[in-house]
Amino acid sequence: MMKGVSFLVIVAILALASSFVSAFDPAPLQDFCVAINDIKSGVFVNGKFCKDPAMVSANDFFFSGLNIPGNTGNKVGSNVTLVNVDKLAGLNTLGISLARLDFAPYGLNPPHTHPRGTELLVVIEGTLLVGFVTSNPNKLFTKVLNKGDVFVFPIGLIHFQFNIGKTNALAFAGLSSQNPGVITIANAVFGSVPPINPDVLMKAFQLDKGVVEYLQKAFTPK
């Protein structure tokens, strides 16, 4: 009898522990959420408000246009066409999004991070040099990808894609968030508004003040 009671107690404790393990806050879908007491002047977070199911149609789950190449006529020679919840309403709460990546010859998708999503990339045309850097001590994992090759970039880690071929390249990427976010490192560090104090950047990057000021001017949005 006592053995049976002990078994039931153990099962109950394990069940309770399991409930605590699964009771965690969902990952945020925005950079921050400042608390506010007045709900009338607040905003809904972690996703978007849901449409009345009776009003939902097939078009809410449909997006057209990923067959159209992106404009790579820019300084880095690449273009990312992102299909997230802002462009495809049916993605809301599903935890996934998609991107088309176009590269001119020697075009680069500069080092960047997705704070809320892991990226799974497949090369459709061309040859890409890709890689990501771990958290400290900052080990680089890099690989040359050809047509049909797949590479994964873990959530939050700095990564890049570089077209090392003489022809255009094309890739598609799935991301594990309806709003993965993107932080392009150079733009964030040297192009923030307002700008980061140059003394901070001089110390951090061991650069002369003239170089820092040049980079800030180059990356600050016009």
Side-chain angles (χ1 to χ4, degrees), residues 2-188:
M2 288 301 295
K3 289 184 178 180
V5 172
S6 299
F7 175 77
L8 291 175
V9 170
I10 292 173
V11 170
I13 292 173
L14 290 174
L16 185 60
S18 298
S19 68
F20 283 129
V21 169
S22 61
F24 60 89
D25 290 334
L29 292 173
Q30 57 288 319
D31 289 338
F32 53 80
C33 176
V34 179
I36 189 171
N37 292 323
D38 182 9
I39 60 173
K40 293 182 180 179
S41 61
V43 295
F44 182 77
V45 299
N46 251 33
K48 296 179 178 290
F49 284 106
C50 298
K51 193 174 185 178
D52 182 345
M55 304 296 292
V56 172
S57 71
N59 284 334
D60 292 313
F61 305 96
F62 173 78
F63 176 88
S64 179
L66 280 190
N67 61 311
I68 302 172
N71 181 11
T72 59
N74 50 56
K75 291 182 178 180
V76 294
S78 71
N79 183 279
V80 177
T81 304
L82 177 64
V83 183
N84 62 5
V85 68
D86 293 326
K87 294 184 178 179
L88 182 55
L91 288 177
N92 194 35
T93 76
L94 299 185
I96 193 170
S97 56
L98 180 68
R100 171 182 174 133
L101 293 82
D102 289 282
F103 299 85
Y106 306 110
L108 170 70
N109 190 14
H112 62 282
T113 73
H114 301 294
R116 295 180 290 275
T118 290
E119 177 180 344
L120 185 65
L121 179 135
V122 56
V123 177
I124 305 301
E125 295 291 345
T127 302
L128 297 179
L129 171 67
V130 306
F132 68 85
V133 180
T134 67
S135 53
N136 293 345
N138 306 133
K139 182 176 181 179
L140 172 66
F141 290 87
T142 186
K143 190 79 174 175
V144 173
L145 305 182
N146 295 296
K147 183 177 180 178
D149 290 342
V150 176
F151 199 83
V152 63
F153 306 95
I155 184 172
L157 298 186
I158 296 174
H159 59 284
F160 61 88
Q161 297 102 15
F162 179 48
N163 180 8
I164 58 175
K166 297 180 180 179
T167 61
N168 292 339
L170 171 65
F172 284 89
L175 297 115
S176 62
S177 171
Q178 69 184 50
N179 185 25
V182 61
I183 302 171
T184 305
I185 307 305
N187 299 66

